[in-house]
Amino acid sequence: MAAYRSAAGFQRVLLAFKHVCLKQRCGVIICRYSTVYDPNEKTFDKILIANRGEIACRVIKTCKKMGIKTVAVHSDVDSSAVHVKMADEAVCVGPAPTSKSYLNMDAIMNAVKQTGAQAVHPGYGFLSENKEFAKRLAAEGVTFIGPDTHAIQAMGDKIESKLIAKAAKVNTIPGFDGVVKDAEEAVKIAGEIGYPVMIKASAGGGGKGMRISWNDEETREGFRFSSQEAASSFGDDRLLIEKFIDNPRHIEIQVLADKHGNALWLNERECSIQRRNQKVVEEAPSTFLDPDTRRAMGEQAVSLAKAVKYSSAGTVEFLVDSQKNFYFLEMNTRLQVEHPITECITGLDLVHQMIRIAKGYKLQQKQSDIPINGWAIESRVYAEDPYKSFGLPSIGRLSQYQEPLNLPNVRVDSGIQEGSDISIYYDPMISKLVTYGKTREEALKKMEEALDNYVIRGVTHNIPLLREIIVHPRFVSGDISTKFLPEVYPDGFKGHMLTAGERRELLATAAALYVAAQLRSQKFLGDLRVSIVPAESRQWELCVELDKGVHMLGVSRAGNNYTVEIDGEKVEVSGEWNLASALLPITINGKHRNLQCLLRTAAGEITLQYLGTSVAEGQEICVIEAMKMQNSMTAAKTAKVKSVHCKAGDTVGEGDLLVELE
């Protein structure tokens, strides 16, 4: 909180610090991928996209470039969604719950027949790796834009895929190759492999149904949670157990294969920055791989693809230890969420390639044609509270939304707009923010700038965490692993901690903005509000309180330039501000900064985005499932349960009272 005193007496304005926003310019490079469309190469007249949100929009964009008409499917609550508006046709496939809409195979098949779509692109998630869906489409003579059912079956089952990988001479993690029957068998197997172990669902992915266990008790608990999550997310509660590679990197290889036996590897993506086994920040290429390791990983990925006669875009994921030993993790038989960064460094449109391959065309490129041009970074922008377990879902309506597309070398893949709702029914992703540069340093600086210029109001979002990650010395130096977040923030993410210099910048900026607002309030349509007033002040004395510390500030103004004296040091602040705008570009001591004004009230409040059983402690008292992820709630102290305010199956929101202890 800060209190400001002017010559006319004390006035009060509240200043809430969010996080510091630094901004630097970098070279101009165009960030894009190329859809080289040959009008003589006939593909499909109409494609149905069996998905929603940003990935549906992404597929529609390429279809439009290729002259292909598109059909969107949607739930009743998505009737006004962006992907619905972008498509040429739209069909409602059911109510909001995914099981009744986007996973409703009968309704989607009816939509295919109703619209006469010749092919279906499944995007990622939902039915994208469902072999039954692909079979039903094939039976109706409709093309599934993805691999055939054999490859989906083989790679979708982690047990079978591991056996195939071994046979294809792909490096695999030591573990149990069968299905674990129950918790006690899990304990027995874990003891034989040696702790730590990874318990994970045989079907599916995305971090769901996965638990790390370090002892027998955690194995029993992990078996229970993983089987429940697997059943909920994939309709398949089978589990497997393998050795957990401690402190690894998560690096994946993008592959592309046609129906004629040709296959390519399109370099790697570094995906080690994760929370709860779900990716947060990705980049291509990886800082860690040398050319020989990259080639070895790429060749093994292609070997696996050929072993299952794979045809489409796919991703082979590896764990890589500190000695650059790499081990097969799984293969995703679909377009990956983070595919844009591969498009940026190769120039290939992967959706275009998938459509060509599905129609039966051969790959146009050879392995020697695949480049690494520059560096690309992707930040997954979520409607999440990053201060709670690095991100628990937030819901609400986007009251204000502005993507930083005015900046060069910035790509935003999104499926929302101002006024869109982030609901409890779907993944809380807002967008994928991608930046590109000739070098990694340029790409990082551009990401910093893009995050500072990204305006999101109405929901809690994870931009403060994303920004802290990309400027952290460990990340900048490339010293990362899948343990990055818990190691860097062992007590959870607390936001940016101001340095002494940053505190002065914040105080000076707030003072300058306050004076500018006061001067503006004295005028109306360019004239003074009253006919007789003192001459406009050019100097002010302000008493500023921030974080319980009091600072005396002297402010002088000359045009749009402000000199603020704080604790004997001068800070120069300048800018031409539209105080009604969410974005406030400012120059502080010659350095460009970009702030956001999150809230300004008539009272002078300013919020700035600137840089019954006896229960034992730790005992589980209830489990919440949020976005298909089960979250265990534990007691903070020994107490008795006084009352329970929820029952199994209830939908609960942030702040709801669940259990009372006494």
Side-chain angles (χ1 to χ4, degrees), residues 49-67:
I49 298 95
N51 216 297
R52 67 179 299 278
E54 67 86 10
I55 190 59
C57 295
R58 166 68 189 87
V59 175
I60 291 171
K61 286 177 183 177
T62 289
C63 287
K64 286 183 179 295
K65 291 179 183 178
M66 296 177 68

Side-chain angles (χ1 to χ4, degrees), residues 374-385:
W375 214 283
I377 298 171
E378 176 179 286
S379 292
R380 298 194 188 189
V381 181
Y382 281 100
E384 291 182 339
D385 186 344

Side-chain angles (χ1 to χ4, degrees), residues 16 39 124 156 158 180 193 232 267 294 350 362 368 371 427 486-487 559 629 638:
Y124 56 74
K158 289 184 174 63
V180 184
I193 296 173
S232 172
N267 303 308
R294 176 178 295 116
L350 294 184
K362 290 184 178 181
S368 58
D427 188 273
E487 286 179 352
M629 295 295 289
T638 301

Side-chain angles (χ1 to χ4, degrees), residues 3-7 504 507-515 537-545 550-558 561-573 589:
Y4 297 82
R5 180 178 64 192
S6 69
R504 284 193 297 272
L507 290 167
T509 301
L513 288 172
Y514 173 73
V515 169
S537 299
R538 292 185 179 274
Q539 292 187 328
W540 295 261
E541 288 184 356
L542 307 177
C543 177
V544 183
E545 183 182 338
V550 177
H551 304 266
M552 298 302 297
L553 275 64
V555 183
S556 60
R557 171 180 174 266
N561 301 313
Y562 297 82
T563 299
V564 184
E565 187 168 337
I566 308 172
D567 301 331
E569 295 194 30
K570 289 184 178 181
V571 179
E572 301 292 336
V573 180
N589 287 340

Side-chain angles (χ1 to χ4, degrees), residues 632-647:
S632 174
M633 305 294 289
T634 59
K637 61 182 180 180
T638 301
K640 290 185 178 180
V641 175
K642 180 180 179 182
S643 58
V644 179
H645 297 268
C646 60
K647 63 181 184 296

Side-chain angles (χ1 to χ4, degrees), residues 121-361:
H121 196 298
Y124 56 74
F126 295 136
L127 297 172
S128 63
E129 296 177 282
N130 188 304
K131 65 180 185 297
E132 295 304 322
F133 183 53
K135 282 181 181 178
R136 289 185 62 173
L137 289 172
E140 296 293 333
V142 177
T143 301
F144 178 76
I145 302 177
D148 63 22
T149 55
H150 166 68
I152 296 174
Q153 163 74 34
M155 293 295 99
D157 187 305
K158 289 184 174 63
I159 296 171
E160 185 178 353
S161 67
K162 189 173 180 180
L163 295 174
I164 293 172
K166 281 184 177 180
K169 301 189 183 308
V170 177
N171 302 345
T172 58
I173 301 172
F176 179 68
D177 294 331
V179 177
V180 184
K181 296 177 183 177
D182 53 38
E184 291 310 310
E185 185 181 35
V187 169
K188 179 176 178 292
I189 293 168
E192 293 171 352
I193 296 173
Y195 287 109
V197 297
M198 171 71 83
I199 304 169
K200 60 183 182 181
S202 177
K208 298 178 177 68
M210 297 175 66
R211 289 293 188 280
I212 299 167
S213 170
W214 295 81
N215 54 51
D216 290 355
E217 183 180 346
E218 289 182 0
T219 298
R220 292 186 181 92
E221 184 181 74
F223 181 90
R224 176 165 65 97
F225 277 128
S226 292
S227 59
Q228 290 170 354
E229 279 183 9
S232 172
S233 299
F234 316 118
D236 184 344
D237 64 357
R238 293 178 303 147
L239 302 177
L240 60 85
I241 298 179
E242 62 189 19
K243 181 71 176 177
F244 175 63
I245 307 299
D246 195 17
N247 212 37
R249 286 174 179 258
H250 184 138
I251 301 176
E252 61 191 26
I253 300 291
Q254 176 72 56
V255 296
L256 197 63
D258 62 25
K259 299 178 186 293
H260 305 277
N262 304 304
L264 305 171
W265 48 275
L266 308 184
N267 303 308
E268 79 277 7
R269 294 185 289 256
E270 172 72 72
C271 305
S272 297
I273 307 298
Q274 304 179 4
R275 46 90 174 107
R276 299 189 299 279
N277 297 310
Q278 292 182 309
K279 301 160 190 171
V280 179
V281 176
E282 303 102 342
E283 61 181 305
S286 169
T287 61
F288 190 61
L289 298 190
D290 56 67
D292 289 342
T293 307
R294 176 178 295 116
R295 185 182 307 108
M297 293 176 70
E299 289 174 352
Q300 287 198 17
V302 164
S303 176
L304 180 61
K306 288 184 174 181
V308 292
K309 295 180 172 57
Y310 196 85
S311 60
S312 191
T315 297
V316 181
E317 300 191 345
F318 293 94
L319 291 181
V320 185
D321 68 18
S322 60
Q323 302 304 309
K324 297 184 181 178
N325 299 306
F326 57 91
Y327 305 94
F328 170 70
L329 186 61
E330 64 182 1
M331 183 175 189
N332 293 312
T333 57
R334 53 170 167 78
L335 188 63
Q336 200 83 329
V337 175
E338 57 273 18
H339 76 273
I341 55 177
T342 295
E343 294 181 326
C344 285
I345 67 167
T346 63
L348 294 176
D349 179 339
L350 294 184
V351 174
H352 176 222
Q353 296 299 321
M354 292 178 76
I355 293 171
R356 289 188 71 258
I357 291 167
K359 188 62 178 177
Y361 292 109

Side-chain angles (χ1 to χ4, degrees), residues 468-535:
E468 283 297 294
I469 291 171
I470 64 157
V471 300
H472 193 279
R474 272 190 58 181
F475 183 83
V476 172
S477 69
D479 178 18
I480 61 175
S481 73
T482 56
K483 286 188 172 183
F484 177 86
L485 288 178
E487 286 179 352
V488 171
Y489 308 107
D491 300 320
F493 179 63
K494 306 297 183 183
H496 183 81
M497 299 295 107
L498 286 171
T499 65
E502 290 166 346
R503 290 173 65 85
R504 284 193 297 272
E505 288 187 1
L506 176 59
L507 290 167
T509 301
L513 288 172
Y514 173 73
V515 169
Q518 292 298 302
L519 292 174
R520 177 165 294 192
S521 69
Q522 295 174 11
K523 297 187 178 182
F524 180 71
L525 296 179
D527 296 321
L528 295 176
R529 289 179 181 271
V530 292
S531 57
I532 301 175
V533 295

